Amino acid sequence: MSNESQVRADDRAHVFHSWSAQGLIDPLPIEKALGSHFWDYTGKKYLDFSSQLVNMNIGHQHPRLVEAIQEQAAKLCTIQPAFANDKRGEAARMIAEIAPPELNKVFFTNGGAEANENAIRMARLHTGRHKVLSAYRSYHGSTATAITATGDPRRWPNEPVAIGVVHFWGPYPYRSPFHSGSEEQETQRALQHLRDTIVFEGPGTVAAILIETVVGTNGILVPPPGYLAGVREICDEFGIVFIADEVMAGFGRCGEWFAIDRWGVAPDLITFAKGVNSGYLPLGGVVISDAIAETFRERPFPGGLTYSGHPLACASAVASMQIFKEEGIVEHARALGDDVIGPLLKEMSDRHPSVGEVRGLGVFWAIELVTDRDSKAPLVPFNAAGAAAAPMNAVAAACKERGLWPFVHFNRLHVVPPCTITPEDLRAGLAIIDEALTVADGYCTA
């Protein structure tokens, strides 16, 4: 069995880490995980309030999911995508069954970035147009077109990559780019801005609008009432494909199978990954409307992946969805948001002057930290690094010291534990955050 020193030595000598300056990081070696917790090699136990990368929806090491992977590995580890396979077909059918009625086909990928990459490809070929509109506050993946569609700073060092992407401002009532005074006004002005962007870009050039149903890493921004329905109407008016990026928001995270179900809106394409099988094996995909699927009935789709619909990954998705249904995990996630997270975060916001706003759904929440509630000045500057990021680093360190692993982005703490977390563990984690927020309070200027 590996010991901590060997794990650390191998990592530092040979592993090249994503999104990192290799000489400035010191990754924590992790020995094991179970449920909502993981342990380092010293035996220290952490409550996983980040669900790793907001993908461990079913929790770590769910025994039935592990068993399903083992059973499939004993039967058939892999078969190439051109063949039919029982688990591949079953997973596709089960995903189509929980999607809106007119979305009945699934193209499998290895993750969310490839899902968005292929959804954009489908939209362009279906419409014969080339432009894609996406929001500034967004993340869609790190492959060529997906990173270009991404609005956040991870795009900057990758430019120029792909062409034809235009960014627009999505709704964000707390920091309204439209200077709105209400959610209703935010919806109205955001939709007018989107319409104006399309008109000035040329409606006949726009293939797709790509939107995270609930914006994830960039703020857990829940769309105000009427916004998604308005996007659907604009897409219908101009013949534009509506792509709902549900990679982070889907599969129970927002207390729905797909977050968009909450608003009763049907997009043309849904991209998914993460929660479909909680990352036990790499899997993502695109759920495709009948109209777009028809485009490729006699016209070949010019895309594919060696591991598309990998049997092991699909077996894990089938088992995961069965477990979700039998254990009521979607309903559990919704109740946790309504009965535990929402009320307790509201209480925290009343106690801590550093809390500007709390917002979210299900087990998908953000605590936005500020130095002054009146001015809404963020606790750290946009895209802060180095010394400028010290206040948020201090808040994160206070969580880790107390045995909670947080999800931190810019000036926000995100509350994103597994959808299966118990109310007791959830309350314990929120109590730790409550203590850590006193660190943030120390930076308040008002």
Side-chain angles (χ1 to χ4, degrees):
M1 180 179 290
S2 299
N3 57 39
E4 181 180 9
S5 60
Q6 184 64 54
V7 173
R8 195 180 294 275
D10 286 345
D11 180 275
R12 294 294 68 222
H14 302 294
V15 177
F16 195 93
H17 285 265
S18 56
W19 306 115
S20 302
Q22 305 303 304
L24 303 181
I25 58 174
D26 185 20
L28 176 66
I30 300 302
E31 182 178 22
K32 60 184 180 179
L34 184 66
S36 297
H37 297 87
F38 59 87
W39 289 260
D40 66 19
Y41 279 79
T42 70
K44 183 170 182 177
K45 180 181 180 181
Y46 293 92
L47 182 57
D48 191 352
F49 250 48
S50 68
S51 293
Q52 295 305 294
L53 290 176
V54 199
N55 66 315
M56 191 57 63
N57 294 13
I58 209 167
H60 295 272
Q61 297 301 114
H62 193 294
R64 286 182 57 192
L65 191 44
V66 172
E67 182 182 5
I69 294 169
Q70 292 171 332
E71 288 179 359
Q72 182 61 36
K75 176 184 176 184
L76 178 68
C77 282
T78 190
I79 198 76
Q80 64 120 318
F83 292 103
N85 172 260
D86 59 346
K87 292 302 180 183
R88 184 181 293 150
E90 188 175 7
R93 173 177 54 76
M94 292 179 72
I95 292 167
E97 286 172 351
I98 60 172
E102 55 270 40
L103 281 74
N104 289 297
K105 297 276 190 179
V106 178
F107 176 79
F108 286 112
T109 65
N110 300 311
E114 290 175 345
N116 284 320
E117 196 84 18
N118 281 282
I120 290 169
R121 178 183 288 161
M122 291 173 189
R124 285 173 164 166
L125 292 168
H126 175 69
T127 61
R129 305 170 183 178
H130 69 284
K131 288 181 185 172
V132 177
L133 272 56
S134 57
Y136 276 108
R137 291 187 176 91
S138 70
Y139 180 72
H140 297 292
S142 64
T143 53
T145 309
I147 196 66
T148 306
T150 289
D152 80 20
R154 283 171 282 190
R155 166 173 49 89
W156 303 347
N158 285 290
E159 293 177 319
V161 180
I163 61 170
V165 174
V166 177
H167 290 98
F168 64 92
W169 293 103
Y172 185 1
Y174 182 68
R175 297 187 184 279
S176 172
F178 313 108
H179 309 286
S180 302
S182 67
E183 283 194 329
E184 293 76 15
Q185 201 170 59
E186 184 77 352
T187 292
Q188 179 186 7
R189 293 181 179 183
L191 290 172
Q192 186 61 52
H193 163 69
L194 178 57
R195 176 182 291 275
D196 290 344
T197 303
I198 292 167
V199 168
F200 278 83
E201 285 295 331
T205 70
V206 179
I209 297 173
L210 172 62
I211 294 176
E212 289 176 278
T213 309
V214 175
V215 174
T217 309
N218 285 275
I220 306 189
L221 305 179
V222 181
Y227 180 72
L228 293 176
V231 173
R232 176 72 274 176
E233 290 174 5
I234 288 172
C235 287
D236 289 341
E237 179 180 348
F238 293 112
I240 295 168
V241 172
F242 182 2
I243 307 173
D245 180 340
E246 294 261 351
V247 170
M248 192 174 281
F251 288 93
R253 180 57 56 183
C254 292
E256 308 284 348
W257 279 107
F258 290 114
I260 204 161
D261 297 342
R262 186 178 183 91
W263 293 276
V265 176
D268 301 295
L269 299 170
I270 297 175
T271 57
F272 67 88
K274 294 186 183 284
V276 66
N277 66 344
S278 295
Y280 280 46
L281 288 158
L283 185 67
V286 187
V287 195
I288 308 162
S289 70
D290 296 339
I292 294 178
E294 185 64 26
T295 295
F296 303 102
R297 178 176 293 276
E298 296 184 0
R299 174 187 183 181
F301 175 66
L305 301 152
T306 298
Y307 303 119
S308 176
H310 193 283
L312 280 180
C314 287
S316 69
V318 169
S320 178
M321 286 184 281
Q322 289 170 340
I323 294 164
F324 261 64
K325 291 175 180 177
E326 293 170 18
E327 298 185 5
I329 293 172
V330 172
E331 296 79 8
H332 180 67
R334 187 184 309 139
L336 290 177
D338 292 344
D339 302 336
V340 182
I341 304 176
L344 289 181
L345 289 187
K346 176 62 172 65
E347 292 176 12
M348 281 187 218
S349 69
D350 293 339
R351 284 195 299 274
H352 294 282
S354 60
V355 177
E357 184 182 52
V358 297
R359 55 182 178 263
L361 295 168
V363 281
F364 204 35
W365 291 76
I367 306 170
E368 179 142 355
L369 301 179
V370 297
T371 59
D372 182 344
R373 279 182 170 174
D374 292 333
S375 69
K376 301 181 182 179
L379 189 68
V380 297
F382 179 76
N383 201 35
M392 286 304 298
N393 291 339
V395 173
C399 291
K400 293 174 185 177
E401 288 166 8
R402 293 163 171 80
L404 180 137
W405 198 268
F407 189 104
V408 176
H409 191 260
F410 293 168
N411 66 312
R412 299 178 305 275
L413 273 175
H414 291 187
V415 177
V416 286
C419 300
T420 52
I421 192 170
T422 65
E424 294 74 23
D425 282 341
L426 182 55
R427 290 190 181 93
L430 290 170
I432 291 172
I433 287 179
D434 196 6
E435 294 178 21
L437 288 176
T438 61
V439 175
D441 293 340
Y443 291 96
C444 288
T445 58

